Amino acid sequence: MAPILNVEAAGGSHVGLVRRRNEDAIHVGPFLIAIADGLGGHVAGDVASSTAIEAVRRYDQVVTPDALSVALGQAVDAANKALRQRTEAEPDLAGMGTTLVAMLKSGETVALANVGDSRAYLLRGTDPLHGQTTQITEDHLYKHLVADAADVPNLPDRLARFLDGRPDGRSPDITLLTLAPGDRILLCTDGLSSYVPHDQVHTTLANSVTPQEAVERLIASALAHGGPDNVTVAVIYVASRSNGQRKQLER
Amino acid sequence: MHSRYLDIAAKIRDRIEANEWEPGAKLPRLDDFAAEYGANRDTIGRAIAALEAEGYVWAVQGRGIIVRYGTIRPRRPRGNLVKRNATGTGYSFPSATSQEVWKHHIPPVAAAEPLNDPRIAKLLKVEPGTQVMRRFRVTGPEAEPPFQINISWIHPRAATVPGVASQAPGPGDWLYRLENAGHWPISWIEIHRARMPSKQEAALLEIPTNLPVLEIVRVGTSGADGQPVEVTEYIVASDRVETMHVLHRDESAQDPWPDDSSERTEG
């Protein structure tokens, strides 16, 4: 019989210590968790990320496990369409773009979608101290697309994929994951992953008692490292239900 | 005078563009449309055919009329990096990323077949007509229509490697097995061409027959004996992919222009 899982999530966002405006956006709901990072250097990065998050919010609902990837694909498509409608209505916004990392869950299955360089990490193992935190998304940067990106100035770290509403919208990576008791999942923008050393992210995720505590400590770490960028994190803890809860559920 | 079927096609097109049906959803049956628009079934059929030619819908025998990814067709960049796949032993070839396991749209087939295409036979260095292990897959990113057809031909000297003919869980697992059996490291080149799809290819990719495809032929050379060990043909819907290339300077273009070059053009 499939284990009955208890999934708890928390999220938070901080403008950081340098930027004037928070161009990240986040949604933490019962089924969908999503983070978007508006592209800097473009006009209205904050409009892009919040438009994308507004659009995917509609997909925060029950779906069967076998429909997860399609529902999440439609959510990403909806985010791209929303960006297009927004720029059509307000041409001054043309050129705005955003990353998107999202997780949609159904029972013990989750689908992850990623466009850009916001990340998902998984810490697996019932004893977190002995587990590892591994990145389970690939950053869509040119250095991961072509072997010779470094031969062109500034190309390696540029985004090869992001959402900007263009009609030939960029395809997200969608991967499926089966949850196990003890799993901890972290979604974050590069305001965390670019500045806080990986070991510290792992230790914080492993040692925090609740997702809310992990969120607060991770954001505090980013600020302690200078908070150069907006930082947004969502943390998901998976546990098996206690016997009492299981009985309640079966009744 | 305007044709009735074109009027109806325009009405259905507007409804598709207004997102009345999600991409991948089925349209009402011809009879339902006929009743709704007070037209006969044949007129509706012609309207649907017009929309199919425009790429809005895709009529599949036995499945009905499916809405394609309308105005947003997700497109993938395609680079030149081969990555280890994170989910098992095997590789992610472009356009897949290291974390992905692409969806199979038909059950994969692995069986010995005569290799009749003289071009592929020459690249694999076998005589045309030779029985060769052939792996056939139709794959793509999750939640999207089929992205590419993959046909791999494995050289007879390597076809008996255990596992090469089976469908392992991870992508590109058979290449890991070839390398494990002594062909490490395989190196690859690709030849890209654009062409029109065959009727069967168009059906497998869920595209109209008038949409070009990108045909990529990859040759894998064994690190052991320097001879071809596999040739893979990819057929990719051309509206789903863009290829990314960094240009390199030839030796003749490495050095800076001499100081007098600007004076020369002026003079």
Side-chain angles (χ1 to χ4, degrees):
Chain A
M1 201 189 105
I4 298 170
L5 300 174
N6 188 41
V7 178
E8 230 189 302
S13 185
H14 196 287
V15 67
L17 302 176
V18 175
R19 303 282 171 93
R20 280 199 213 147
R21 197 167 60 172
N22 194 344
E23 302 196 333
D24 290 354
I26 181 170
H27 169 78
V28 179
F31 305 100
L32 178 81
I33 294 162
I35 286 179
D37 180 356
L39 301 192
H42 285 255
V43 285
D46 55 337
V47 180
S49 58
S50 59
T51 302
I53 291 295
E54 258 333 290
V56 298
R57 208 188 282 272
R58 281 200 301 125
Y59 292 82
D60 191 348
Q61 49 182 289
V62 186
V63 291
T64 58
D66 60 344
L68 271 177
S69 60
V70 169
L72 194 54
Q74 286 169 350
V76 176
D77 191 53
N80 197 48
K81 274 192 182 128
L83 288 169
R84 187 154 59 102
Q85 283 160 2
R86 195 76 202 255
T87 44
E88 274 170 6
E90 295 169 65
D92 286 353
L93 299 176
M96 70 176 182
T98 183
T99 72
L100 180 66
V101 62
M103 188 190 113
L104 184 63
K105 79 174 174 68
S106 173
E108 58 174 357
T109 312
V110 298
L112 270 173
N114 177 45
V115 194
D117 66 346
S118 297
R119 291 181 171 178
Y121 291 91
L122 172 66
L123 168 57
R124 177 148 277 180
T126 40
D127 177 4
L129 291 173
H130 297 100
Q132 271 184 22
T133 299
T134 37
Q135 187 184 347
I136 52 171
T137 49
E138 183 179 298
D139 299 342
H140 294 151
L141 303 174
Y142 278 99
K143 66 181 167 199
H144 299 309
L145 185 66
V146 285
D148 35 15
D151 294 347
V152 181
N154 307 319
L155 185 65
D157 291 317
R158 267 173 49 199
L159 286 175
R161 276 192 250 173
F162 52 88
L163 296 178
D164 65 356
R166 71 184 97 178
D168 57 341
R170 290 298 174 268
S171 162
D173 287 355
I174 294 184
T175 52
L176 292 165
L177 186 69
T178 305
L179 296 177
D183 282 354
R184 293 177 177 188
I185 297 170
L186 163 67
L187 307 187
C188 66
T189 56
D190 62 348
L192 180 77
S193 51
S194 293
Y195 305 105
V196 180
H198 182 75
D199 282 358
Q200 196 181 339
V201 171
H202 166 69
T203 315
T204 308
L205 194 60
N207 291 336
S208 300
V209 179
T210 64
Q212 186 59 44
E213 182 192 335
V215 166
E216 284 162 15
R217 287 176 58 188
L218 288 167
I219 290 177
S221 304
L223 299 178
H225 283 87
D229 196 357
N230 310 144
V231 54
T232 302
V233 300
V235 173
I236 299 99
Y237 278 17
V238 182
S240 34
R241 279 189 199 269
S242 71
N243 282 336
Q245 282 171 306
R246 179 171 297 168
K247 271 190 187 132
Q248 208 170 17
L249 203 88
E250 281 168 359
R251 198 184 295 154
Chain B
M1 211 188 93
H2 215 63
S3 298
R4 176 97 172 102
Y5 83 93
L6 288 176
D7 289 340
I8 293 173
K11 283 184 180 130
I12 299 174
R13 189 192 302 114
D14 287 346
R15 291 169 69 180
I16 291 171
E17 287 192 328
N19 291 324
E20 183 169 336
W21 304 283
E22 287 284 344
K26 247 183 356 189
L27 284 188
R29 292 170 310 148
L30 295 186
D31 289 334
D32 298 334
F33 273 134
E36 184 176 347
Y37 289 115
N40 66 39
R41 204 171 178 279
D42 186 50
T43 305
I44 301 293
R46 289 179 70 192
I48 295 297
L51 291 173
E52 196 178 19
E54 291 169 13
Y56 282 92
V57 300
W58 181 62
V60 197
Q61 207 134 32
R63 270 177 64 192
I65 309 150
I66 317 275
V67 179
R68 295 181 70 213
Y69 269 67
T71 48
I72 295 186
R73 294 268 294 167
R75 194 183 283 261
R76 279 268 169 142
R78 191 180 195 283
N80 59 7
L81 275 169
V82 178
K83 294 162 188 162
R84 284 225 174 144
N85 189 272
T87 61
T89 50
Y91 291 110
S92 291
F93 281 89
S95 303
T97 57
S98 57
Q99 303 290 333
E100 286 180 293
V101 179
W102 277 10
K103 181 183 160 89
H104 284 273
H105 290 271
I106 59 163
V109 183
E113 300 267 345
L115 172 46
N116 294 324
D117 183 330
R119 179 177 169 227
I120 305 284
K122 191 172 181 209
L123 290 169
L124 192 59
K125 292 197 182 171
V126 298
E127 285 299 318
T130 308
Q131 286 284 121
V132 177
M133 177 57 65
R134 175 181 178 268
R135 298 174 57 94
F136 183 90
R137 296 93 69 207
V138 179
T139 59
E142 279 287 344
E144 291 177 21
F147 183 85
Q148 66 188 17
I149 301 168
N150 321 245
I151 306 163
S152 296
W153 298 92
I154 295 145
H155 194 276
R157 76 182 187 290
T160 52
V161 171
V164 162
S166 65
Q167 188 55 44
D173 173 84
W174 58 284
L175 288 158
Y176 151 78
R177 289 174 188 270
L178 287 181
E179 291 186 324
N180 234 11
H183 293 288
W184 170 269
I186 299 174
S187 44
W188 294 281
I189 63 153
E190 285 184 344
I191 306 156
H192 295 205
R193 292 179 178 182
R195 62 170 172 79
M196 301 310 288
S198 70
K199 211 174 158 187
Q200 194 207 4
E201 287 166 345
L204 288 169
L205 292 174
E206 300 178 9
I207 57 172
T209 50
N210 56 4
L211 181 80
V213 290
L214 178 66
E215 177 207 83
I216 297 168
V217 174
R218 180 183 82 209
V219 181
T221 300
S222 166
D225 56 16
Q227 296 301 313
V229 68
E230 62 102 3
V231 173
T232 295
E233 184 184 11
Y234 295 109
I235 298 117
V236 191
S238 60
D239 65 345
R240 299 288 299 286
V241 68
E242 68 184 17
T243 64
M244 166 75 195
H245 310 264
V246 173
L247 300 192
H248 296 274
R249 286 174 175 270
D250 173 61
E251 209 171 310
S252 68
Q254 294 280 351
D255 294 329
W257 294 97
D259 287 342
D260 62 349
S261 63
S262 55
E263 289 161 29
R264 205 168 24 190
T265 50
E266 278 165 27

